Amino acid sequence: MTGTRTRWAAAFGVAAAVSALLAASGWLTPPAAHLAVARPPGGCTILQAENERTGAPTTLRRLSLPGGVTQRVSQAGYWINAMGYSAAQGVVYGVADGTRAGRYHGAHAVRIDAAGVVTDLGVIGRAGTPHPVWSPVTGATAGAIDGDRWYVRQGSDLYTVDIDPGDADYLRVVHRTALRPVSLAVGVDDFAVDPADGLLYGVSATSHGGSSVVTIDPASGKVAVVPGLRFPEGGAYGSVVLASGVLYATANHYGQRSVTFRLPRDGSGPATEVATGPPLVSGDAAGCIAEAPTPPPPPPPTTPPEQSSPPPSTPPEQSSPPPSTPSRTEVPPATQAPEPSPLPPPPVEQPVVVPPAPVPAPTPAPVVTPTPSTPAPPPPPPTTPRARPEKPAEPVVRDTGRRTEEKRRWGLTALLLVLGGGAAVAHVRRHR
């Protein structure tokens, strides 16, 4: 028994030593902890919907925080608001009140993918209505997603929309909650869900709210001010996003611009500017889309194996095009818009390029000669009849010649008579 115990004690000692070594090296640390350490504090990538004019198409932009770097994604043909990001589906849902052609009778749900492509999903109706034509969320300004529930605020009510594609009530309002007090609720133009407590965090821009941070309980509809957290007063805050220990909010019209502020949730400091843009009539945001930067890392690990072994180099090459295709799919919508404009010019440019052909003079010369030959025959017929009447005019000229000769004869005769008469007179005078 003593030898057995000794062997077990030695085995446990070795196991403890191995466990300590693995813990020190980090092999026993959960993967989530690694991701948490790798993420920058307060870092977040969000999708913003900007409406600079009433009725104008919504511009979608990707904003990286806290750096404030913005990138234009696309221009949607819809008036979009009340967006929410579904991490499980990897897409953004939004409420569209209309298109460039005009407003909808009932608000539609739209889905926005990573490339910025917007898909119209139809009217957001009530549960149990298979073909709704009217929507209770028309004119909604605030939205956020928690799991398969999309919270949308319209007026003083909070609506819950089912976004589980497998449910019969997909994109239908399954619950309505009245918000109280109304004086705080109506000033919240966007909010974000905190998974830790399940509350919605937003900024109330009413006189009672004074740009204070408020929480909304989706279950009871209670709206409460968070002590010590306040943004600068400057109108509606249409975009609100929660990050790690930080609250980001964008004022639609702060002076002559829109401003995104960063506010620590622990109240350790005031709100500071991190990004600016043009003044907005309305705006919204969805995020944090922290999964966006993850796709780039996969290509680097595939390249080393390509260099090490030639055979596996071909499969990674086949895997690399797929990630490039979504980026290319984003380009076609942008290029398709300008394509119609260049189409008319090409036919016009072709005739303009043709003039250099006439430079060889010899070729057009023979071509020109046959053309005058054809018109030449018609002139002779009219000239010949005109020439004929001119010939009978010749006897008139001959008549005039004869008359002149006769006149000359009469003139000579008269001259002779005069001379003869003069001579006779002279002769008479001599004989006198």
Side-chain angles (χ1 to χ4, degrees):
M1 295 295 293
T2 304
T4 303
R5 291 179 179 177
T6 303
R7 286 193 297 272
W8 279 106
F12 280 121
V14 173
V18 173
S19 300
L21 180 60
L22 293 175
S25 61
W27 283 96
L28 297 181
T29 307
H34 287 290
L35 295 176
V37 174
R39 292 176 182 174
C44 180
T45 300
I46 67 175
L47 181 67
Q48 279 193 324
E50 300 180 352
N51 300 309
E52 298 183 22
R53 298 183 306 277
T54 303
T58 296
T59 300
L60 300 175
R61 299 183 185 276
R62 188 175 288 108
L63 177 62
S64 299
L65 299 170
V69 178
T70 183
Q71 178 185 6
R72 186 179 183 275
V73 178
S74 63
Q75 188 178 55
Y78 303 85
W79 178 272
I80 302 175
N81 212 322
M83 298 192 307
Y85 172 63
S86 173
Q89 302 180 27
V91 297
V92 172
Y93 287 90
V95 176
D97 280 331
T99 63
R100 300 179 184 179
R103 296 179 64 86
Y104 288 134
H105 180 69
H108 287 207
V110 293
R111 182 179 58 226
I112 308 170
D113 63 13
V117 178
V118 183
T119 304
D120 192 342
L121 303 177
V123 180
I124 306 174
R126 296 184 182 274
T129 55
H131 302 291
V133 295
W134 177 80
S135 174
V137 300
T138 301
T141 60
I145 291 177
D146 184 14
D148 57 1
R149 293 293 181 263
W150 179 16
Y151 297 112
V152 178
R153 184 197 71 81
Q154 199 284 332
S156 60
D157 293 322
L158 182 69
Y159 295 92
T160 304
V161 181
D162 185 0
I163 60 168
D164 186 353
D167 291 346
D169 290 326
Y170 177 57
L171 298 179
R172 298 290 182 267
V173 175
V174 295
H175 189 70
R176 183 186 73 88
T177 304
L179 301 178
R180 298 292 182 270
V182 177
S183 58
L184 291 176
V186 295
V188 180
D189 288 311
D190 196 21
F191 43 58
V193 180
D194 187 353
D197 54 17
L199 298 178
L200 305 174
Y201 286 76
V203 182
S204 179
T206 61
S207 58
H208 293 275
S211 300
S212 297
V213 177
V214 298
T215 60
I216 299 176
D217 187 352
S220 63
K222 180 181 178 181
V223 184
V225 175
V226 179
L229 296 183
R230 182 186 297 271
F231 283 89
E233 295 186 8
Y237 281 82
S239 302
V240 176
V241 174
L242 282 174
S244 176
V246 177
L247 184 65
Y248 292 102
T250 301
N252 293 342
H253 205 292
Y254 189 77
Q256 298 300 322
R257 54 185 181 150
S258 59
V259 180
T260 301
F261 294 94
R262 179 181 185 273
L263 178 65
R265 295 183 61 183
D266 59 2
S268 59
T272 57
E273 295 185 12
V274 293
T276 61
L280 305 175
V281 173
S282 69
D284 205 82
C288 290
I289 309 176
E291 315 303 332
T294 53
T302 56
T303 51
E306 292 175 3
Q307 298 175 355
S308 60
S309 59
S313 64
T314 52
E317 289 175 0
Q318 295 175 357
S319 61
S320 58
S324 63
T325 49
S327 62
R328 292 179 182 176
T329 52
E330 297 176 9
V331 177
T335 55
Q336 288 174 0
E339 280 177 7
S341 58
L343 288 177
V348 179
E349 291 176 359
Q350 290 176 355
V352 176
V353 179
V354 174
V359 175
T363 53
V367 177
V368 175
T369 50
T371 53
S373 62
T374 52
T383 54
T384 51
R386 291 181 182 176
R388 291 175 183 174
E390 291 177 359
K391 291 180 181 179
E394 292 178 0
V396 176
V397 176
R398 292 174 184 174
D399 293 342
T400 54
R402 293 175 182 175
R403 292 178 181 178
T404 52
E405 290 178 1
E406 293 177 358
K407 290 180 180 180
R408 288 177 182 175
R409 292 174 183 174
W410 283 107
L412 292 175
T413 304
L415 180 61
L416 293 175
L417 293 175
V418 171
L419 292 176
V425 173
H427 180 73
V428 173
R429 288 181 179 178
R430 289 178 182 171
H431 287 78
R432 283 182 182 176

